[in-house]
Amino acid sequence: MFLKVQSATNLGLETMGVDVEVNIASRGLPVFEIVGLPAKSVDESKERVRTAILNSGLEFPQKRIIVNLAPADIPKEGSFYDLPIAVSLLAFVTNCRIPENSLFFGELSLDGTLRHTKGALLLALFAKENNIGNVFVPEDSANEAAIVKGINVFSVKSLSSLLLHLLNKEKMEPLEYKKTDSDIFKAKAEFDMAEVLGQEQAKRAIEIAAAGGHNILMIGSPGSGKTMLARALPGILPPLQDQESLEVTKIYSAAGKIPPGGSIITVCPYRAPHHTISRIGLIGGGSKPKPGEVSLAHRGVLFLDEFAEYPRATMEVLRQPMEDGKLTISRTMASVDYPARFILAASANPCPCGYLQHPKKQCSCSEREIRRYKKRISGPILDRIDLHVDVPVVDAGELSETGQGLQFLESSAKIRQRVIKARNIQQERFKNDNIFTNAEMRNEQIKKYCQLAKTAKQILTAATNSFNLSARAYFKTIKTARTIADLAEAVDIAQEHVAEALQYRFKEN
Amino acid sequence: MGIYISQDDVKYPKLLKELGKEMPKQLYYKGRWDESIFENCLAVVGSRRMTTYGKQITQKLVGQIASAGVTIVSGFMYGIDAEAHKAAVDVGGRTIAVMPCGIDRVHPDYQIKLYNDILENNGLIISEYEGDSQPGYWTYPARNRIVAGISKAVLIVEAGEKSGSLITANWAKKFGRKVFALPGQITSLVSTGTNQLIKEGAEILIRADNILEYFELNGSSALTEPAEVGPREVFPRSSLEDKIINHLQREPMEMDLLARNLQTETAELGRTISMMEIKGQIKKENGKYYVS
């Protein structure tokens, strides 16, 4: 007897259909075999399926069972073939009808229930694109798949409940999408901006970074509050827009990072890997390429603390994603595209010992050591950072005692309001450009959207001469000025916006 | 073998001949040996770890002194030494760099541009060591002996408690050279040495004239003022700018501190500061702004 069940496999963010063909021969010795280049996890599916069927109170056929995963020349990986294989065997045992126009996807537990399986969202998107009306996914992954409208998502609890549905005894209803907040991404700022005393300029720079999606580098001595500022950053990031949400959720679904029952991600991701991270860990890879930190930080923030400590090779791999907002990972088995449009927030010490420019401690580095240390952050990377800001050491005790400058303390919530407003202006501006933020503007877009007032042009020209600005620095300043103008809700870029933007330029010394 | 002048040569600097057993046997050199360069020599030495204050004063006062025709002698080390050479070169003055290593070596090597600038401005590079021999712990104090010996007076700009610059000052005292010292804040680590020198009787340096008078020179005529920068007229001066200048004249400070003192938002202050930087009114160095 020949049976066929449809499923699909994810490769990176792409999905392709897989037919699970099962032949149960009445002649020959009993055997249960999977062909079609199964990896170990697929091969072990045999034991899970056999036990799950037995534990669901059914007979496992003592026949010659051959499972073929077609197309047969593509290596198969993952545990989600359990369900389609089991369904075809159920159909044989109970004579139930396998529903047409349906995808099955999910890992089985030995007791016959289904487990949370990664990639359910991608499967649902594939079903919709290919006009497949029904998808059967594990209960824990169903809400993730139900984000996609226009298809029936069936939430399968266990093999026995699925069987009752297939036998038309107890029909399951398609799942209604429930919006749940994925706790892992619930705004998790460790500090409120109001808790950071002093650092007025750095805070302003961070606000601009969040508003316009600009990369930012903070330089300061240990204990000056760089890390604290960076950890307060998630609190002022705007919520993701619908399309951004879907992009981010797809990546997290493919990486299996959406928790059971979780759904669409609406909060900007915030990733802070340690500087011992490998190149592959940062940009992604593996024989079946997995997304790296840059992709997990897509549409969010990638915070790299102690940036100068990153090995040169690790740092350099950031160049392409910082420029293109995406990257292609090619391996012998597959070549995969992942989006990676993130805000790079980096922090570094001014010198190896860290105490250069410190008001109280003496720096113990020689000139040569300082020069060498400064060269550790690669030039091309520095070139792609729009905002450079010093974070001087603050005597927090004295500040809170005297109360100096405390009148300027603002809460994260208040800053976030301004950031959201500025982002909305950008969304309106770029609605036909397929970008979201000012930082993503290319030169032609800068020409189109960045009208400089006459005086603004004058000081930019004057600054180009007195500060020796390069062509790239010139355009970076305009982009930053655009964001500052958006924060001020100004249509044209005025002199004051350019003047402030110049504060964040890269300074040689 | 490089070219050298031995101590028996008539062209050998006269002041060095007074040093007795401390007199270098020969001086290897780079550049054009012109005896007039040794007539009015002022040694300018100081800490490697200079402050913005030390740098500013060196640029200003040493520039004035050099443009009056005084040869600036120093040790080519980074910090005040290099700054002193630079100040002299910037005004087209002559300067002598005394190396602690073999004459063929540029030490530190990243100052190669300064090295060439010194030679281009008719300056000299000298050393008592031949070839490309490495500097050692003992060659630095030995070098200081030549720096002090070749000069009529020594100016210590900044020096810590155990600074090599104080060794130069000691040589100067021993050889009977006039010692000038720049006063600094008593809290500054690189001013403890100079303040101590003043307490012990070194001449205090307040204006370039203090030194020029000693050399019996008048420098004001030769002084070249930096050219006015264009944008100054285009953007008029505001009251906030005046306040900023007032604050920075008292002491250089960071943006955040300035914002707190002036009770202004950083965004607004940043704008003004940028304008002032463009106009050339203030400069940022080591994280702090100061009036230029």
Side-chain angles (χ1 to χ4, degrees):
Chain A
M1 184 175 180
F2 174 77
L3 296 151
K4 195 162 102 176
V5 178
Q6 278 183 298
S7 187
T9 181
N10 299 322
L11 195 65
L13 298 185
E14 311 231 316
T15 310
M16 61 180 290
V18 173
D19 286 337
V20 178
E21 303 171 346
V22 179
N23 191 58
I24 300 160
S26 39
R27 299 173 72 128
L29 287 171
V31 72
F32 187 12
E33 208 61 72
I34 298 179
V35 298
L37 297 183
K40 187 74 178 153
S41 57
V42 181
D43 206 41
E44 284 172 347
S45 173
K46 291 185 290 196
E47 297 308 323
R48 285 194 297 272
V49 170
R50 188 203 309 271
T51 317
I53 287 179
L54 289 173
N55 284 345
S56 300
L58 294 164
E59 198 71 24
F60 188 84
Q62 292 296 321
K63 307 270 186 196
R64 190 173 177 82
I65 305 167
I66 304 296
V67 178
N68 178 34
L69 304 175
D73 59 341
I74 292 174
K76 312 294 184 310
E77 220 172 51
S79 53
F80 55 87
Y81 296 105
D82 292 3
L83 186 62
I85 295 171
V87 164
S88 50
L89 293 176
L90 286 184
F92 174 77
V93 176
T94 65
N95 269 327
C96 67
R97 212 170 53 80
I98 298 171
E100 276 167 17
N101 202 20
S102 301
L103 288 182
F104 291 86
F105 182 87
E107 176 185 329
L108 277 174
S109 187
L110 292 184
D111 63 359
T113 56
L114 278 104
R115 299 174 59 87
H116 179 51
T117 312
K118 71 175 180 189
L121 170 66
L122 298 175
L123 178 92
L125 286 169
F126 170 80
K128 180 158 190 201
E129 264 170 42
N130 292 280
N131 294 320
I132 299 170
N134 310 302
V135 294
F136 292 81
V137 289
E139 193 181 27
D140 281 342
S141 316
N143 204 26
E144 183 186 324
I147 296 167
V148 182
K149 305 230 162 60
I151 54 165
N152 296 324
V153 174
F154 292 95
S155 152
V156 183
K157 193 163 192 281
S158 65
L159 272 188
S160 28
S161 68
L162 178 62
L163 184 62
L164 290 174
H165 173 79
L166 296 180
L167 290 169
N168 287 329
K169 280 187 180 157
E170 214 175 285
K171 273 294 213 188
M172 285 195 282
E173 288 302 318
L175 185 73
E176 282 288 328
Y177 171 59
K178 288 190 302 292
K179 188 161 184 171
T180 60
D181 289 316
S182 303
D183 295 339
I184 49 163
F185 302 115
K186 204 77 195 122
K188 50 171 180 184
E190 281 175 57
F191 302 101
D192 194 279
M193 281 290 181
E195 288 177 68
V196 186
L197 297 181
Q199 307 304 4
E200 291 83 358
Q201 195 184 21
K203 280 193 207 170
R204 172 72 178 165
I206 284 189
E207 177 183 336
I208 297 168
H214 301 282
N215 297 323
I216 178 171
L217 173 64
M218 296 178 280
I219 293 187
S221 294
S224 58
K226 302 174 300 257
T227 312
M228 194 176 176
L229 280 165
R231 295 210 186 283
L233 178 54
I236 65 164
L237 290 172
L240 292 173
Q241 292 158 19
D242 292 348
Q243 197 195 328
E244 291 178 308
S245 266
L246 193 61
E247 288 174 11
V248 173
T249 314
K250 269 167 81 173
I251 298 168
Y252 276 76
S253 176
K257 285 193 183 291
I258 293 185
S263 69
I264 197 152
I265 297 168
T266 53
V267 180
C268 281
Y270 179 82
R271 308 289 301 181
H274 187 252
H275 65 251
T276 49
I277 188 172
S278 68
R279 279 182 305 163
I280 303 301
L282 197 58
I283 63 155
S287 61
K288 284 283 185 72
K290 288 198 175 92
E293 290 291 340
V294 293
S295 297
L296 293 175
H298 180 60
R299 299 287 170 207
V301 172
L302 179 68
F303 174 50
L304 302 181
D305 208 355
E306 307 298 351
F307 197 40
E309 302 301 329
Y310 281 74
R312 186 64 174 235
T314 311
M315 209 184 282
E316 294 297 341
V317 298
L318 286 172
R319 275 161 68 170
Q320 197 216 338
M322 280 172 83
E323 192 63 32
D324 304 337
K326 64 178 177 33
L327 45 87
T328 305
I329 307 165
S330 287
R331 296 292 184 268
T332 45
M333 297 258 231
S335 168
V336 170
D337 285 323
Y338 281 116
R341 173 73 66 193
F342 52 90
I343 299 175
L344 174 70
S347 79
N349 287 334
C351 67
C353 82
Y355 293 109
L356 188 72
Q357 300 163 23
H358 196 281
K360 294 199 176 119
K361 285 186 183 147
Q362 181 87 9
C363 168
S364 62
C365 311
S366 74
E367 181 88 2
R368 188 184 294 266
E369 284 172 321
I370 296 170
R371 279 164 179 276
R372 196 178 301 147
Y373 191 76
K374 287 201 166 142
K375 279 194 191 143
R376 283 165 77 159
I377 300 180
S378 104
I381 298 282
L382 283 177
D383 226 20
R384 288 167 171 80
I385 294 177
D386 295 348
L387 304 168
H388 296 256
V389 64
D390 284 336
V391 185
V393 175
V394 174
D395 193 336
E398 194 192 305
L399 268 193
S400 51
E401 240 170 59
T402 59
Q404 237 192 354
L406 294 187
Q407 69 270 34
F408 297 130
L409 279 186
E410 284 184 302
S411 68
S412 291
K414 205 168 158 203
I415 300 173
R416 189 164 181 257
Q417 289 304 320
R418 285 201 297 270
V419 171
I420 291 175
K421 255 191 201 152
R423 281 279 179 117
N424 288 341
I425 294 172
Q426 293 167 57
Q427 192 185 2
E428 184 58 30
R429 174 182 306 138
F430 300 127
K431 59 184 179 221
N432 300 323
D433 288 272
N434 204 22
I435 58 173
F436 293 92
T437 58
N438 290 332
E440 292 171 64
M441 279 191 285
R442 302 261 167 196
N443 286 359
E444 62 266 31
Q445 283 153 336
I446 293 178
K447 282 193 191 110
K448 195 163 151 201
Y449 296 119
C450 301
Q451 297 301 332
L452 293 177
K454 195 170 160 239
T455 45
K457 208 167 230 162
Q458 275 174 345
I459 64 160
L460 196 53
T461 317
T464 314
N465 296 330
S466 24
F467 303 147
N468 269 329
L469 294 187
S470 66
R472 200 193 276 259
Y474 180 89
F475 284 113
K476 280 198 303 194
T477 307
I478 296 181
K479 282 200 261 185
T480 311
R482 179 69 267 173
T483 305
I484 294 171
D486 287 345
L487 279 167
E489 294 172 54
V491 180
D492 279 341
I493 301 173
Q495 172 188 339
E496 66 212 58
H497 306 131
V498 173
E500 195 191 339
L502 284 167
Q503 278 299 304
Y504 309 111
R505 72 188 189 276
F506 172 56
K507 300 156 204 99
E508 285 290 343
N509 52 19
Chain B
M1 280 300 277
I3 30 173
Y4 63 91
I5 299 278
S6 74
Q7 53 181 342
D8 318 317
D9 202 306
V10 281
K11 289 194 251 170
Y12 192 82
K14 288 181 192 67
L15 280 175
L16 281 183
K17 286 194 176 165
E18 298 169 8
L19 302 191
K21 66 175 171 52
E22 303 292 357
M23 173 165 52
K25 278 204 182 98
Q26 71 279 313
L27 288 174
Y28 296 89
Y29 68 95
K30 292 252 159 104
R32 201 168 57 85
W33 190 278
D34 174 358
E35 282 148 275
S36 71
I37 200 173
F38 301 107
E39 268 165 29
N40 278 320
C41 287
L42 170 73
V44 179
V45 295
S47 177
R48 297 176 182 196
R49 208 157 280 137
M50 66 176 166
T51 63
T52 309
Y53 165 69
K55 184 176 174 181
Q56 242 182 304
I57 299 295
T58 311
Q59 280 171 352
K60 218 167 166 178
L61 297 194
V62 173
Q64 289 177 17
I65 294 165
S67 61
V70 175
T71 305
I72 304 298
V73 181
S74 196
F76 202 68
M77 191 31 70
Y78 59 85
I80 296 290
D81 285 15
E83 218 47 58
H85 289 303
K86 250 180 239 164
V89 167
D90 282 348
V91 296
R94 289 193 292 186
T95 173
I96 301 173
V98 188
M99 292 295 194
C101 53
I103 189 69
D104 293 336
R105 184 179 285 274
V106 180
H107 173 78
D109 53 10
Y110 51 82
Q111 294 188 156
I112 180 75
K113 184 179 176 297
L114 178 60
Y115 190 93
N116 293 329
D117 285 349
I118 291 174
L119 293 178
E120 263 169 40
N121 281 280
N122 298 317
L124 269 182
I125 310 283
I126 60 174
S127 171
E128 59 176 323
Y129 307 106
E130 61 171 25
D132 69 339
S133 61
Q134 290 269 10
Y137 285 123
W138 65 93
T139 62
Y140 292 97
R143 180 265 315 267
N144 293 349
R145 150 186 134 258
I146 303 176
V147 171
I150 213 167
S151 310
K152 278 189 184 160
V154 173
L155 166 63
I156 320 287
V157 178
E158 284 187 313
E161 213 169 344
K162 287 178 183 164
S163 170
S165 309
L166 295 183
I167 299 177
T168 314
N170 281 333
W171 284 117
K173 282 186 224 163
K174 201 170 160 192
F175 302 149
R177 311 286 189 246
K178 183 85 175 166
V179 177
F180 290 90
L182 176 75
Q185 292 191 5
I186 56 171
T187 48
S188 166
L189 285 174
V190 285
S191 285
T192 43
T194 45
N195 288 340
Q196 185 64 27
L197 282 173
I198 292 169
K199 187 163 173 284
E200 287 166 5
E203 190 82 21
I204 189 163
L205 176 80
I206 298 170
R207 295 186 305 142
D209 293 349
N210 302 144
I211 287 177
L212 292 179
E213 274 161 23
Y214 178 79
F215 281 92
E216 293 169 346
L217 287 167
N218 187 358
S220 51
S221 59
L223 191 68
T224 48
E225 270 289 321
E228 285 284 310
V229 204
R232 246 177 237 246
E233 297 86 50
V234 183
F235 309 105
R237 197 157 163 167
S238 70
S239 65
L240 182 58
E241 292 186 6
D242 287 335
K243 280 192 212 158
I244 292 171
I245 299 242
N246 269 337
H247 267 83
L248 294 183
Q249 267 168 348
R250 239 173 289 152
E251 66 175 324
M253 56 178 100
E254 301 111 345
M255 169 82 106
D256 291 343
L257 197 57
L258 198 57
R260 263 171 254 144
N261 285 340
L262 291 169
Q263 305 272 309
T264 325
E265 295 227 18
T266 34
E268 192 193 338
L269 186 63
R271 275 175 231 152
T272 316
I273 294 256
S274 289
M275 300 297 288
M276 293 173 76
E277 279 185 278
I278 295 171
K279 291 186 228 173
Q281 293 169 336
I282 55 171
K283 256 188 191 160
K284 187 177 191 185
E285 196 133 314
N286 289 333
K288 291 185 178 174
Y289 289 95
Y290 66 92
V291 181
S292 57

